[in-house]
């Protein structure tokens, strides 16, 4: 296992639409393990493969609190098959360091994906886990949380990111 470098906004690789994983091989499992290690090392609660420059439909999340046991979840070729309600949550992103903003998301989602062994599963999530799943799935489509903001807030976030870049 190894930690990988997390790409930062406005790296154009964050804007690519990631390709489906054709087969869950040892290489994919090694990628997933590196992603988990990178997420924990960066103190994030989610990481998508495009954020480390790998254009594949894979993400990991762990929404456990600091005093809770880890709850690593792996999603390969994920699809949201149902979503309901709305919620606002203050989100951050490892590719947009130092900023956070309230984003409107579905309150509850049902997601279908493959696990680390390539087995299909379905999961119904709400609260923070539902937010994390939607945020990471956006990364697979080249969408960043800054895109979800009003023009005014987007400009403000862009300025803040520019002023902290390289810091
Ligand atoms: Ni993110």
């Amino acid at each position: 296992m190894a930690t990988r470098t997390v790409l930062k906004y406005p790296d154009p690789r964050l804007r690519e639409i990631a390709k489906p994983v054709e087969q869950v091989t040892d290489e994919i499992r090694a990628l997933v393990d590196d992603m988990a290690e990178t997420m924990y090392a960066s103190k994030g609660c989610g990481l998508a493969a495009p954020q480390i420059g790998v254009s594949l439909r894979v993400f990991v999340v762990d929404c456990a609190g600091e005093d809770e046991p880890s709850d690593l979840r792996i999603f390969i070729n994920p699809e949201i098959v149902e979503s309901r309600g709305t919620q606002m949550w203050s989100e951050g992103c490892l590719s947009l360091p130092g900023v956070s903003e309230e984003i409107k998301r579905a309150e509850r989602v049902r997601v279908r994906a493959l696990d680390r062994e390539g087995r299909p599963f379905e999961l119904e999530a709400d609260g923070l886990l539902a937010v994390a799943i939607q945020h990471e799935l956006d990364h697979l489509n080249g969408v960043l949380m800054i895109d979800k903001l009003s023009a005014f807030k987007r400009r403000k976030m862009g300025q803040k990111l520019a002023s902290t870049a390289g810091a």
Side-chain angles (χ1 to χ4, degrees), residues 42-110:
S42 316
K43 308 223 179 293
C45 73
L47 186 73
Q51 291 182 276
I52 55 164
V54 175
S55 192
L56 287 172
R57 303 189 79 78
V58 180
F59 66 75
V60 295
V61 298
D62 188 338
C63 294
E66 270 181 38
D67 48 356
E68 292 171 339
S70 70
D71 182 27
L72 178 64
R73 292 167 189 266
I74 292 151
F75 298 82
I76 299 170
N77 296 346
E79 254 183 287
I80 288 178
V81 292
E82 206 186 309
S83 56
R84 269 182 287 151
T86 56
Q87 61 176 329
M88 297 286 282
W89 210 288
S90 181
E91 295 182 27
C93 179
L94 295 175
S95 294
L96 297 123
V99 296
S100 62
E101 197 61 63
E102 290 221 320
I103 312 267
K104 191 171 156 188
R105 301 280 187 185
E107 203 277 320
R108 180 173 281 271
V109 295
R110 174 170 282 279

Side-chain angles (χ1 to χ4, degrees), residues 15-156:
R15 294 308 195 173
E16 286 174 21
I17 296 183
K19 288 174 233 23
V21 171
E22 284 180 16
Q23 208 183 344
V24 180
T25 58
D26 285 347
E27 200 182 331
I28 296 296
R29 280 185 277 277
L31 167 70
V32 164
D33 294 345
D34 282 1
M35 286 171 61
E37 192 173 328
T38 304
M39 171 179 73
Y40 290 126
S42 316
K43 308 223 179 293
C45 73
L47 186 73
Q51 291 182 276
I52 55 164
V54 175
S55 192
L56 287 172
R57 303 189 79 78
V58 180
F59 66 75
V60 295
V61 298
D62 188 338
C63 294
E66 270 181 38
D67 48 356
E68 292 171 339
S70 70
D71 182 27
L72 178 64
R73 292 167 189 266
I74 292 151
F75 298 82
I76 299 170
N77 296 346
E79 254 183 287
I80 288 178
V81 292
E82 206 186 309
S83 56
R84 269 182 287 151
T86 56
Q87 61 176 329
M88 297 286 282
W89 210 288
S90 181
E91 295 182 27
C93 179
L94 295 175
S95 294
L96 297 123
V99 296
S100 62
E101 197 61 63
E102 290 221 320
I103 312 267
K104 191 171 156 188
R105 301 280 187 185
E107 203 277 320
R108 180 173 281 271
V109 295
R110 174 170 282 279
V111 58
R112 188 178 291 160
L114 302 177
D115 67 13
R116 196 175 176 281
E117 307 307 320
R119 293 175 300 223
F121 69 95
E122 271 196 23
L123 173 77
E124 182 136 351
D126 60 8
L128 178 58
L129 181 58
V131 168
I133 288 169
Q134 293 169 83
H135 177 117
E136 300 311 327
L137 194 51
D138 274 352
H139 276 298
L140 307 185
N141 296 320
V143 173
L144 301 172
M145 61 183 236
I146 193 168
D147 307 331
K148 306 266 174 188
L149 301 175
S150 67
F152 174 72
K153 285 189 170 174
R154 190 157 59 233
R155 207 159 44 241
K156 253 180 42 184

